[in-house]
Amino acid sequence: MAVPVAFFAVFFAYPVAAIVARGLRIDGSWQFGRIVDVLAQPDVRHVLWFTTWQALASTALTLLIALPGAYVFARFDFPGKQVLRAVVTVPFVLPTVVVGTAFLALVGRGGLLDELWGVRLDTTVWAILLAHVFFNYAVVVRTVGGLWAQLDPRQEEAARMLGASRLKAWRQVTLPALAPAVAAAALMVFLFTFTSFGVVQILGGPAFSTLEVEIYRQTSQIFDLSTAAVLTLIQFGAVAAVLAVHAWTVRRRETALRLVDAATTARRPRGTGQRALLAGVLVTVAVLLVLPLAVLVERSLGAPGFGYYRALTREDGGTFLVPPIEAIGNSLQYAVAATAIAVVIGALAATALARRDAGRFVRGFDALLMLPLGVSAVTVGFGFLIALDEPPLDLRASWILVPLAQALVGVPFVVRTMLPVLRAVDVRLREAAAVLGASPWRVWREVDLPMVRRALLVAAGFAFAVSLGEFGATVFIARPDNPTLPVAVARLLGRPGDMNYGQAMALSTILMLVCAVALVVLERLRTDRSGEF
């Protein structure tokens, strides 16, 4: 645990504490009364209300649309199911900047709806809600559908034989068993939408602002660190509460249920109702998930002769100091370095957490590992600039700063992927190897590693995908001569002109394709044990 604890203490707790202290410590004294002053501001209360309201609405809408998909993937067997599962998962690994850009191409100025019917949704809350459903659809399908596929269908059939209607049998037998998984999925969706930044930044405009967007505005535009610090504390408290409830639901989910092999519960749809349900889910996936990405690709090809892509190779001297195409190489290099860091830190943490004799401190650290997913990435990025600016940690001019920030987001995915597999390794195998004289390192290399190698590769793939698309922290610390793909897309969208818009679409398409390739590799490596979120 020494290395993971030191990593999170230096590169997460210290930068966040530094920026909060910078905001609340004035003239050498703490100004905690500033918290009350900030909360009394009408604009801040409006941001808090909108952040909570849109997160609740996004969560409810996601559950409403995705639960039928979870049932279809769990109980139906149909041609192309594995391909469709990969398609459904693509939005989850996409950077939020790409999601916002895709919906901008669909519902924004000059978008598909604008061209066909003169309808624009980019300045309405509906664009944000739909983009959040697009992004989180896979969370519900994979989390709820994974458990649904393993529930023994004979329990519901027994209730039907005893006279219960189909709806009553589902409500009184299946739903209580699914409730922990539904609650866990809902809490994760709420967490992601409560801290939404890229989607709201691109689609919300000046009318809508979440806590994350407001922290960015107060930090980088108004330079009011005091208000930003208070907002960071509020978001931190809300995220901690959500994670505490999430940990409780996970413990409930791990209670004894009558589970069977998922492969034995899926069957071909029978009857008009089941076929109609399958058709409805396919149409939903096509319209909600595939269409925005297809429009994104179509907009990137709007200039003759791949004009937008060719423009990426030229310097304009304004938005970038280098041709935008160099952002691809920068992102790949940063993501590889961040993946290596995340795999080392995450694997060490997962190995420690998997031990059955782990103490209370180690078990508590498991919950803390999830905090980087919910705490403001903007705060972390700006905290890097403030805290890591003097020896022995003067890293502001170092390239490693970006991978370190990206690795913070990747580590939770590595831990969550590897931990179930490590816990499943029979401890007697380790004990037998130790009795035969193997050192602890050799025991891990020859007993644990062969069993978790595939999970390790899956974890590395997830860490690579999320590192590639990290935006909130990177927007502060990426240098102008070394922009990443998400930062380059955001900068292009922030400048007027069709050429800048087209280049943003082209870069987003490239980023989408790189993430999709990473996901295809993940699906090929995925096992039933390591394939869930």
Side-chain angles (χ1 to χ4, degrees):
M1 288 297 298
V3 175
V5 169
F7 178 81
F8 273 83
V10 174
F11 297 113
F12 178 68
Y14 177 47
V16 172
I19 193 171
V20 171
R22 181 71 64 92
L24 295 181
R25 191 176 176 88
I26 303 174
D27 296 329
S29 60
W30 292 95
Q31 303 293 327
F32 291 109
R34 180 61 179 157
I35 298 177
V36 178
D37 295 338
V38 171
L39 290 176
Q41 298 176 14
D43 291 346
V44 171
R45 291 203 301 269
H46 175 73
V47 168
L48 289 173
W49 164 248
F50 176 74
T51 301
T52 305
W53 175 86
Q54 65 83 26
L56 290 172
S58 297
T59 302
L61 192 60
T62 302
L63 290 175
L64 180 66
I65 295 176
L67 282 176
Y71 175 79
V72 165
F73 279 100
R75 295 303 197 196
F76 291 170
D77 185 22
F78 52 90
K81 181 178 178 179
Q82 295 304 318
V83 174
L84 189 64
R85 188 192 299 273
V87 170
V88 165
T89 313
V90 165
F92 181 75
V93 300
L94 285 180
T96 55
V97 172
V98 174
V99 175
T101 308
F103 272 81
L104 193 65
L106 179 64
V107 303
R109 178 181 58 83
L112 182 63
L113 295 184
D114 191 15
E115 289 183 353
L116 294 179
W117 299 294
V119 175
R120 288 182 57 186
L121 299 176
D122 56 321
T123 56
T124 70
V125 72
W126 281 106
I128 297 173
L129 297 181
L130 291 175
H132 284 160
V133 175
F134 170 90
F135 185 77
N136 293 292
Y137 186 91
V139 175
V140 177
V141 169
R142 299 295 287 266
T143 304
V144 179
L147 178 61
W148 210 334
Q150 293 182 280
L151 290 180
D152 192 343
R154 291 175 295 183
Q155 298 176 80
E156 190 172 320
E157 292 169 0
R160 295 286 309 281
M161 292 181 64
L162 293 173
S165 64
R166 183 181 299 274
L167 178 61
K168 186 176 182 180
W170 180 83
R171 190 177 69 249
Q172 296 188 353
V173 177
T174 304
L175 184 59
L178 287 176
V182 173
L187 285 167
M188 289 302 295
V189 173
F190 181 85
L191 177 65
F192 290 140
T193 53
F194 186 83
T195 58
S196 181
F197 177 56
V199 168
V200 180
Q201 179 80 349
I202 293 175
L203 295 176
F208 302 108
S209 179
T210 57
L211 271 174
E212 188 86 354
V213 174
E214 187 63 19
I215 291 171
Y216 174 76
R217 190 175 74 91
Q218 295 288 342
T219 302
S220 64
Q221 297 176 10
I222 303 178
F223 304 108
D224 186 351
L225 292 184
S226 179
T227 299
V230 173
L231 296 178
T232 297
L233 290 176
I234 294 171
Q235 182 167 323
F236 185 86
V239 168
V242 171
L243 290 177
V245 177
H246 178 261
W248 177 71
T249 60
V250 168
R251 285 196 298 270
R252 284 191 60 198
R253 189 181 170 190
E254 292 175 346
T255 57
L257 290 172
R258 186 175 179 182
L259 304 179
V260 297
D261 184 359
T264 64
T265 62
R267 52 180 172 77
R268 295 277 184 172
R270 292 176 292 188
T272 304
Q274 292 187 356
R275 293 191 182 95
L277 178 60
L278 175 59
V281 169
L282 294 177
V283 170
T284 300
V285 170
V287 173
L288 184 63
L289 305 186
V290 177
L291 182 59
L293 300 180
V295 173
L296 175 65
V297 175
E298 186 270 333
R299 289 294 185 270
S300 74
L301 300 172
F306 298 95
Y308 294 142
Y309 289 91
R310 286 190 287 108
L312 296 176
T313 63
R314 299 193 294 265
E315 260 185 76
D316 65 359
T319 309
F320 305 100
L321 301 179
V322 295
I325 196 71
E326 292 192 13
I328 300 173
N330 296 335
S331 287
L332 292 175
Q333 292 173 16
Y334 288 144
V336 169
T339 300
I341 297 170
V343 166
V344 171
I345 301 299
L348 289 172
T351 302
L353 292 169
R355 293 182 61 89
R356 289 174 172 80
D357 58 349
R360 183 176 300 177
F361 169 76
V362 175
R363 291 194 300 270
F365 188 66
D366 186 15
L368 295 178
L369 288 171
M370 293 289 289
L371 281 178
L373 294 180
V375 173
S376 171
V378 171
T379 300
V380 174
F382 198 63
F384 269 36
L385 296 181
I386 291 178
L388 307 179
D389 64 341
E390 55 185 354
L393 286 174
D394 187 2
L395 301 176
R396 286 192 299 178
S398 174
W399 67 272
I400 197 64
L401 204 60
V402 174
L404 286 171
Q406 294 174 342
L408 283 172
V409 184
V411 168
F413 286 91
V414 175
V415 174
R416 295 271 72 81
T417 303
M418 293 188 63
L419 191 55
V421 183
L422 284 169
R423 283 175 173 165
V425 176
D426 193 339
V427 68
R428 291 173 297 181
L429 296 175
R430 301 189 184 106
E431 294 170 349
V435 168
L436 294 173
S439 65
W441 164 246
R442 187 177 181 184
V443 170
W444 191 89
R445 189 177 72 246
E446 297 190 11
V447 176
D448 291 64
L449 184 58
M451 296 185 180
V452 302
R453 182 182 292 114
R454 182 163 295 184
L456 185 63
L457 292 173
V458 171
F462 268 123
F464 179 81
V466 298
S467 299
L468 196 66
E470 204 287 321
F471 175 61
T474 307
V475 71
F476 277 96
I477 57 181
R479 297 193 315 220
D481 58 340
N482 284 293
T484 63
L485 278 170
V487 172
V489 170
R491 289 180 183 172
L492 285 166
L493 287 175
R495 297 188 67 190
D498 291 338
M499 182 56 68
N500 289 313
Y501 178 82
Q503 289 182 81
M505 296 295 163
L507 275 182
S508 296
T509 300
I510 293 171
L511 186 51
M512 177 190 69
L513 291 176
V514 174
C515 290
V517 169
L519 180 63
V520 169
V521 174
L522 284 181
E523 283 296 316
R524 293 182 65 87
L525 295 173
R526 185 181 62 86
T527 64
D528 287 340
R529 287 182 181 269
S530 61
E532 293 186 10
F533 296 142

